[in-house]
Amino acid sequence: MPDREPLIAAFLTRTGWDKADRRHLAGDASDRRYWRLRRGTDTAVLMDNPPGGADDPAAFSAMARHLAALGLSPPRLLAEDTALGLLLLEDLGDGLFARLLVTDPDAEPRLYAAAVDVLVQLQAAPPPPGLPNLSARDWAGAAAMALSVYAKAATGTAPDPAPFTDSLTHALQTHADGPRVLILRDYHAENLLWLPGRQGTARVGLLDFQLGQLGQPGYDLVSLLQDARRDVRPATETAMIARFAAATAADPESFAAHYATLGAQRALRILGVFARLCTVAGKPGYLRLMPRVWGQLRQNLAHPALADLRAICDRVLPDTSPAILARIEAQCPISPSR
């Protein structure tokens, strides 16, 4: 990546934050980087999101404004230069759900109930115009990364995707292809912050929403409750599914099939994404998350509505055993010790 420090320094000078203390805050699976800036008692977050990648900094700004207009809590935009991919954001603090739940696991039902209520409010509002709207076959094609990337890395051969894609397309068309709503896509405990000083749904701070698009109502619920990075208690998952279904007047039986179908699609795609992050991007740390995702996939495939897809997956997908993961890690272009 080209040296962006001169651009960052000039941006901070223009915004009056050039004298601030800058501490690295986070990075993620993309090229984005974050720093916390401290200027006396004031703090802010600097996002460096180089333009031209998969994540558009202008899309972040537009979605942040949309969410704020709904009374939700994305970080306020303090300054921005989307042409350069630099944004100065409100500092929402360190109260990530994932971090809070390590020290207070019993807060899970309360925090997750608030997060579910955010989804209900979000989906009740018209989505912003111009968002991507994928077909069921498009969604199934995205999940085929489980074959083209994960299975190939694990076995050396990519299975024929046609039966898999046809089966998943049919399941999505049957159970998860209704009216679209805005989905944020990466709605999970490491992208949600607890803001106890605010009221109602504004108590949930929102991060990493720039890939928002049109999708199915249960998609972000699956993202929340079948988290690749932490185990959600089964009782919490059951209660939150019921909470969401009741709030959206969904038939529980139909919604169960809807949820399982979207859950299977998401877990399959994540297996492919995590394998690619290792073999292409040199990020083997994601491999340790794959057994959890595999368990979520098996849970979803156990639904009777997915019997055909389950049979196909049983034939073509290897499990996430230590031997399989070691084989994938051996293809990582960067040694884990570096």
Side-chain angles (χ1 to χ4, degrees):
M1 181 187 300
D3 181 13
R4 290 178 56 81
E5 276 304 313
L7 297 176
I8 292 172
F11 176 74
L12 293 177
T13 297
R14 292 197 304 272
T15 57
W17 286 82
D18 52 309
K19 304 300 184 184
D21 176 65
R22 175 155 53 115
R23 303 285 179 89
H24 185 255
L25 188 59
D28 54 27
S30 73
D31 290 331
R32 291 190 308 273
R33 299 178 297 169
Y34 299 87
W35 291 269
R36 173 169 284 139
L37 307 179
R38 189 173 298 279
R39 186 182 61 183
T41 58
D42 295 331
T43 64
V45 171
L46 172 66
M47 176 197 288
D48 177 25
N49 186 5
D55 298 345
D56 182 359
F60 183 97
S61 297
M63 190 61 69
R65 291 187 174 92
H66 174 76
L67 297 173
L70 299 181
L72 301 176
S73 290
R76 287 184 295 111
L77 298 164
L78 305 178
E80 57 184 307
D81 188 331
T82 55
L84 294 179
L86 296 170
L87 290 86
L88 191 65
L89 307 173
E90 175 188 13
D91 183 0
L92 294 177
D94 295 315
L96 288 172
F97 279 26
R99 186 174 298 164
L100 297 177
L101 291 168
V102 170
T103 56
D104 186 9
D106 290 339
E108 185 179 84
R110 174 171 54 87
L111 296 182
Y112 276 61
V116 168
D117 293 347
V118 168
L119 291 181
V120 173
Q121 181 172 329
L122 175 71
Q123 296 180 11
L131 295 178
N133 185 7
L134 303 182
S135 68
R137 184 161 290 277
D138 292 332
W139 283 105
M145 287 181 64
L147 280 63
S148 62
V149 181
Y150 168 64
K152 184 176 182 180
T155 67
T157 303
D160 177 10
F164 169 92
T165 303
D166 288 345
S167 178
L168 181 51
T169 298
H170 177 72
L172 288 163
Q173 289 173 335
T174 304
H175 303 292
D177 203 25
R180 300 300 202 259
V181 298
L182 171 60
I183 61 172
L184 303 183
R185 295 190 55 186
D186 286 319
Y187 193 79
H188 55 72
E190 291 193 358
N191 284 334
L192 302 174
L193 296 121
W194 186 240
L195 307 174
R198 303 187 185 185
Q199 300 296 317
T201 53
R203 294 176 298 172
V204 180
L206 304 175
L207 304 175
D208 201 7
F209 42 71
Q210 62 279 351
L211 294 179
Q213 65 181 79
L214 297 179
Q216 293 299 325
Y219 188 87
D220 280 347
L221 186 70
V222 168
S223 180
L224 175 69
L225 300 177
Q226 296 189 1
D227 192 334
R229 294 163 178 80
R230 69 176 303 271
D231 294 316
V232 177
R233 295 175 180 179
T236 299
E237 182 178 16
T238 299
M240 296 305 120
I241 292 171
R243 185 184 186 93
F244 183 88
T248 57
D251 172 70
E253 185 174 345
S254 297
F255 189 75
H258 174 92
Y259 180 88
T261 303
L262 293 171
Q265 187 278 339
R266 180 174 170 81
L268 288 160
R269 184 182 66 82
I270 289 174
L271 288 174
V273 169
F274 284 177
R276 185 176 63 185
L277 284 168
C278 175
T279 61
V280 176
K283 298 179 179 181
Y286 287 92
L287 295 181
R288 66 178 177 80
L289 306 176
M290 291 174 74
R292 179 181 291 112
V293 178
W294 179 261
Q296 293 161 353
L297 173 62
R298 302 311 303 178
Q299 173 187 328
N300 292 312
L301 291 177
H303 193 284
L306 300 178
D308 181 65
L309 181 63
R310 180 172 67 250
I312 293 171
C313 290
D314 287 346
R315 291 196 302 270
V316 303
L317 282 184
D319 62 18
T320 53
S321 66
I324 292 292
L325 296 182
R327 191 173 304 156
I328 297 173
E329 186 170 0
Q331 301 168 54
C332 178
I334 299 176
S335 169
S337 63
R338 292 168 61 185

